[in-house]
Amino acid sequence: MTRDEATQLVQSYLKAIGVHLSPGLNAKGLGGAAVGEAQLYFEHTDTDGVLKCSALIYRFRDAPRPGVLDGFRDEQKAGTDTGGGTVDFEPESKSLFLSRSYTTPPLDIVFASEMSKLNQASLAWGGDVFERVASKVFPAK
């Protein structure tokens, strides 16, 4: 997918949800938006033509404690709804996401539907799933 295709796809999605003045992606291939209570981020890389779409689950203040990331990965393996994404931790920002990637641009309506599912899943993961993982990793004494 080219940068222009990725930018147009993101712009179309954001316009459809009411964000009319967004450039989609900036000159570095990055973009983002708040969608209701969810936070969605976009990153296009020219080298491989991939558009990565990430919905925030949680932003840690410090590096996650041992077992936390494994707990989230275990939830994914167990079949907890990820909205089509995968558990993705970004060490630089200390943020946990559900992410999915595209190498070819899908139809706008398909992309919008998939982003909606990803956003909804990220909210569940930031709430109930987060609590479940925390209770397993740090059981009450």
Side-chain angles (χ1 to χ4, degrees):
M1 177 181 327
T2 67
R3 172 73 52 84
D4 288 342
E5 289 172 325
T7 299
Q8 186 175 23
L9 184 63
V10 172
Q11 277 180 326
S12 176
Y13 168 68
L14 294 175
K15 188 174 182 180
I17 62 168
V19 182
H20 295 283
L21 299 177
S22 173
L25 300 175
N26 66 18
K28 294 182 179 181
L30 304 173
V35 181
E37 293 183 30
Q39 294 180 40
L40 190 60
Y41 299 91
F42 304 99
E43 180 180 5
H44 179 266
T45 51
D46 285 324
T47 53
D48 56 8
V50 172
L51 175 64
K52 181 178 177 183
C53 306
S54 301
L56 182 68
I57 296 171
Y58 189 78
R59 185 168 284 120
F60 296 89
R61 283 188 220 133
D62 299 307
R65 292 183 181 180
V68 172
L69 297 179
D70 289 335
F72 280 101
R73 291 182 185 111
D74 290 345
E75 284 285 333
Q76 179 181 323
K77 289 176 193 169
T80 302
D81 181 18
T82 62
T86 58
V87 173
D88 178 25
F89 179 70
E90 294 289 337
E92 300 94 35
S93 64
K94 298 182 191 112
S95 298
L96 185 64
F97 299 95
L98 289 176
S99 297
R100 66 181 302 154
S101 297
Y102 297 86
T103 55
T104 59
L107 295 172
D108 289 350
I109 193 165
V110 171
F111 185 71
S113 174
E114 291 174 346
M115 290 303 98
S116 176
K117 290 174 185 173
L118 192 67
N119 285 337
Q120 290 171 355
S122 75
L123 294 174
W125 279 69
D128 293 342
V129 176
F130 187 89
E131 293 298 324
R132 192 164 54 241
V133 168
S135 70
K136 289 178 185 174
V137 175
F138 309 108
K141 295 181 180 183

